[in-house]
Amino acid sequence: MPAQINRILLLFTAFIGLFLVVRHFLIPETFGQYGHYRGASLDDISSREMVFADKEDCFACHDDIMEILENEMHAGLSCLICHGPGREHVDDPQLGNINKESGREFCGRCHDIHPSRPLDVVNQVDIKTHHTEKTNCIECHNPHALWEGME
Amino acid sequence: MEDHYQHLYEMLSQVEGYIYPNEIELQWGILIVLYPYLTGLVAGAFILASLERVFKIKVLGPTYQLALITALSFLIVAPFTLISHLGQPLRAYEIMITPNGTSAMAIFGFIYLWYLLAVLNLEIWLDYRRDFVIWAKEKKGFMRGVYKVLSLGTSDISPKAVKLDDRLGYIITVIGIPSAFLLHGYVGFIFGSIKANPWWSTVLMPVIFIFSAMVSGIALIMILYMVVSFLRKVKIDMACLDTIAKYLFYMLILDFTLESLDQVHRIYEAEESFDILNVLVNGRLNITLFIFQIFSGMIIPLIGIGAIQLFKVREQVRKIIYLLTGVMVLVGIFFMRWNVVIGGQLFSKGFHGFTNFKLGLVGSEGLFMAIMWMVLPFVILAFLLWLLPPWKKEEAA
């Protein structure tokens, strides 16, 4: 075999061999245990401190809200959208550690009129003119039961 | 937490219309613009080299080695833009050792390695093997050892052995042409296959990327040949330069046609995404698309080099036109990548709003970082031209 072909083959064999050896030592032990990832990463992730609560955590205590919400416009929303991450409140329920905002600005984040916001998806009002004599949306609208007490 | 909100409100102030929360901040910045730009230069330079080698356009001889070494210099740096964008250099190898078979990006690592090791390095080595042996004999001390290592211990420079080098190099170049197309077509594919993004999702994307790559690579070699000749104080081979420019002209026409076809097709189809794309190109991409990419990057070079094909122009004027149009093409192709990468992230995938992109100066995604990755290939090129001078080959031949 000519010298140059010999050297090329030798170099490529050495490279591929080295790659395989390095690969053997670098792949984590638990890789592929459950799928195409490091199995031990599940333990790493589950050991992290939780910040967010789940809807089911909320309904474990607030089952009354669950019943009201069932057929409501906001039924598809997660509680966290208005009430914040909420884990702290689940672990130690106190009135102060959950978000209960209801001002014009807060509701307006979704419901203020906006030309590029699709009307068929989100009901919109102009918060600058809509019942300006009231300061708080929940004076008329119950966010858990939107049409309650309204025509 | 306060800082977090501060940042969110700053970002929100740049938003227009109605947009999903995960679209406010761009995930891909200037480094991802640079990445297809660099690989494009590699593929383009290689195709120019293969014109001489495979398609026997012998007049391009003076730029053959320059094109190969330039391709190698840029190819070495290309992945660093991705690694520095991802910000986890110590984990970067994982994509190679446990590749996910269904991920386009993971397989790209192997295409890159194939192109680097089996195509470019081999072709350069076979082309220089005889010279390594000669230089190892001529030089003394440390450099002698370096060239001895580079020759991989071979010493046969009989006409038969050199002929075999040439034959093998030819085969590798033949394999290298589809490999270069694959390398850069793949980069286009990664964008073109993202079906949720109407600005990217077109089957023409890989083809457009390949032709724009050839345009930028040829323009780069055209400029580098002039600069290297100027620095070495040697006369430019005008027949070679004119031929490079002629191929640049052909490629520009093809690239311009393909990109126009893509846009015309998009305009005529006028799918639901058309309105937002219309606002995008006439608004946020206005300057980078119409001025830099199309006008100064395409039309002016087409007119400039086209005029030289039609009329007799003095040599000095031709050189100036080549230099200017070359730079304009390089800037234009850079903004083509910019318009693809940045443009595709500026509009909401709900088609109801826009976000904005602010390029920072410092930081891992900033302008200085990008400049560093843009300058590094030229440093490597200078080193390689010193180590493997093509002009010393000519003397020895």
Side-chain angles (χ1 to χ4, degrees):
Chain A
M1 191 190 289
Q4 54 267 59
I5 296 181
N6 189 344
R7 295 303 143 85
I8 292 169
L9 290 180
L10 208 67
L11 206 65
F12 271 71
T13 314
F15 179 79
I16 293 168
L18 188 72
F19 177 80
L20 292 176
V21 171
V22 167
R23 184 174 184 272
H24 176 77
F25 285 105
L26 284 181
I27 294 180
E29 223 169 88
T30 55
F31 186 87
Q33 195 178 358
Y34 308 113
H36 196 84
Y37 58 91
R38 187 171 58 90
S41 64
L42 294 183
D43 297 332
D44 293 355
I45 294 164
S46 63
S47 67
R48 283 190 191 171
E49 201 189 332
M50 281 200 272
V51 181
F52 293 97
D54 194 68
K55 224 173 177 174
E56 281 171 28
D57 294 324
C58 306
F59 290 156
C61 301
H62 301 283
D63 49 350
D64 51 331
I65 304 285
M66 180 177 79
E67 280 171 27
I68 305 171
L69 255 179
E70 218 164 20
N71 300 313
E72 270 298 336
M73 302 284 277
H74 281 170
L77 298 186
S78 161
C79 307
L80 317 184
I81 287 183
C82 299
H83 294 297
R87 189 76 231 170
E88 205 186 336
H89 180 72
V90 172
D91 292 342
D92 178 20
Q94 288 173 14
L95 203 58
N97 60 7
I98 191 83
N99 198 5
K100 288 193 90 173
E101 278 189 75
S102 53
R104 302 177 78 86
E105 295 261 309
F106 183 77
C107 298
R109 288 203 325 211
C110 297
H111 293 289
D112 191 11
I113 192 98
H114 197 303
S116 60
R117 185 148 40 207
L119 261 173
D120 53 340
V121 180
V122 186
N123 281 323
Q124 292 163 56
V125 293
D126 188 351
I127 59 165
K128 288 193 194 71
T129 56
H130 182 75
H131 289 294
T132 42
E133 74 282 3
K134 306 258 168 65
T135 54
N136 208 325
C137 303
I138 61 164
E139 287 177 36
C140 300
H141 307 277
N142 176 355
H144 296 130
L146 291 160
W147 300 108
E148 184 192 72
M150 292 190 66
E151 289 286 289
Chain B
M1 217 52 178
E2 285 300 310
D3 287 349
H4 184 75
Y5 284 126
Q6 180 78 25
H7 178 66
L8 181 66
Y9 281 107
E10 270 172 32
M11 297 304 299
L12 278 172
S13 67
Q14 303 169 19
V15 167
E16 263 177 58
Y18 192 56
I19 139 169
Y20 297 124
N22 59 347
E23 294 172 325
I24 297 171
E25 200 164 2
L26 264 64
Q27 301 300 318
W28 288 355
I30 191 169
L31 293 177
I32 304 298
V33 176
L34 215 53
Y35 166 69
Y37 187 57
L38 292 178
T39 49
L41 293 171
V42 174
F46 183 85
I47 296 295
L48 186 71
S50 67
L51 281 177
E52 197 266 352
R53 191 73 190 255
V54 177
F55 300 103
K56 310 280 180 211
I57 297 159
K58 288 294 168 198
V59 69
L60 292 175
T63 57
Y64 174 67
Q65 278 94 10
L66 178 67
L68 282 184
I69 292 174
T70 307
L72 180 61
S73 316
F74 281 81
L75 190 65
I76 291 170
V77 178
F80 286 105
T81 57
L82 294 183
I83 292 168
S84 68
H85 162 75
L86 292 168
Q88 295 284 356
L90 297 177
R91 284 198 222 153
Y93 65 86
E94 287 181 15
I95 199 171
M96 303 297 297
I97 62 162
T98 53
N100 183 343
T102 56
S103 153
M105 207 60 226
I107 303 305
F108 184 77
F110 292 93
I111 291 181
Y112 171 86
L113 261 194
W114 162 262
Y115 190 72
L116 176 70
L117 298 176
V119 175
L120 258 186
N121 272 348
L122 262 191
E123 184 168 339
I124 293 174
W125 185 74
L126 286 166
D127 191 56
Y128 274 91
R129 195 190 64 85
R130 188 187 66 117
D131 308 278
F132 288 149
V133 176
I134 295 172
W135 292 337
K137 277 181 194 150
E138 282 173 359
K139 304 272 177 184
K140 286 192 175 61
F142 180 68
M143 288 315 289
R144 182 191 202 119
V146 170
Y147 286 120
K148 250 204 153 69
V149 170
L150 283 175
S151 71
L152 298 179
T154 56
S155 55
D156 187 0
I157 50 169
S158 64
K160 197 178 150 214
V162 173
K163 198 161 178 227
L164 181 68
D165 286 342
D166 193 52
R167 185 95 201 110
L168 289 173
Y170 177 81
I171 294 169
I172 284 163
T173 319
V174 172
I175 300 169
I177 295 169
S179 302
F181 276 60
L182 182 65
L183 177 82
H184 202 63
Y186 209 106
V187 180
F189 173 82
I190 286 171
F191 288 100
S193 61
I194 296 178
K195 61 185 166 199
N197 191 323
W199 186 236
W200 291 344
S201 177
T202 153
V203 77
L204 270 181
M205 195 62 103
V207 188
I208 290 174
F209 263 58
I210 288 169
F211 279 92
S212 59
M214 286 194 265
V215 167
S216 64
I218 294 173
L220 178 70
I221 301 302
M222 188 171 81
I223 294 173
L224 278 176
Y225 178 55
M226 284 192 273
V227 172
V228 170
S229 301
F230 174 77
L231 291 176
R232 289 181 54 229
K233 300 189 178 65
V234 295
K235 205 172 155 5
I236 294 174
D237 181 344
M238 279 314 280
C240 172
L241 194 62
D242 286 332
T243 311
I244 299 178
K246 196 171 75 186
Y247 279 101
L248 178 61
F249 181 63
Y250 296 157
M251 289 304 162
L252 270 172
I253 292 174
L254 283 172
D255 188 31
F256 188 55
T257 314
L258 279 168
E259 284 186 35
S260 308
L261 172 65
D262 183 35
Q263 296 305 339
V264 168
H265 188 251
R266 188 171 276 142
I267 294 165
Y268 190 78
E269 272 193 340
E271 286 189 24
E272 59 196 328
S273 60
F274 181 69
D275 290 336
I276 191 99
L277 296 182
N278 196 9
V279 180
L280 177 76
V281 296
N282 289 306
R284 285 171 198 225
L285 294 186
N286 206 341
I287 294 171
T288 52
L289 184 75
F290 291 111
I291 307 284
F292 286 119
Q293 186 186 331
I294 299 177
F295 185 72
S296 83
M298 282 270 175
I299 294 174
I300 297 284
L302 271 173
I303 295 172
I305 306 178
I308 294 173
Q309 311 300 317
L310 290 175
F311 307 107
K312 222 173 151 62
V313 182
R314 272 193 302 138
E315 188 179 310
Q316 204 55 35
V317 181
R318 289 214 301 277
K319 280 187 203 161
I320 294 169
I321 291 177
Y322 291 155
L323 192 66
L324 286 178
T325 53
V327 172
M328 283 162 119
V329 163
L330 283 178
V331 172
I333 299 292
F334 175 81
F335 279 104
M336 183 256 168
R337 314 294 192 221
W338 175 280
N339 293 329
V340 169
V341 176
I342 303 295
Q345 301 172 85
L346 288 179
F347 64 94
S348 166
K349 304 309 166 283
F351 308 149
H352 287 288
F354 289 100
T355 185
N356 217 334
F357 177 61
K358 262 193 202 156
L359 177 61
L361 282 182
V362 288
S364 60
E365 285 275 334
L367 181 67
F368 292 143
M369 194 70 163
I371 290 174
M372 186 181 93
W373 294 129
M374 200 60 235
V375 170
L376 189 62
F378 290 101
V379 177
I380 297 175
L381 176 67
F383 169 74
L384 286 177
L385 283 179
W386 168 79
L387 187 71
L388 320 166
W391 39 91
K392 292 270 169 58
K393 268 177 88 76
E394 289 161 26
E395 285 165 22

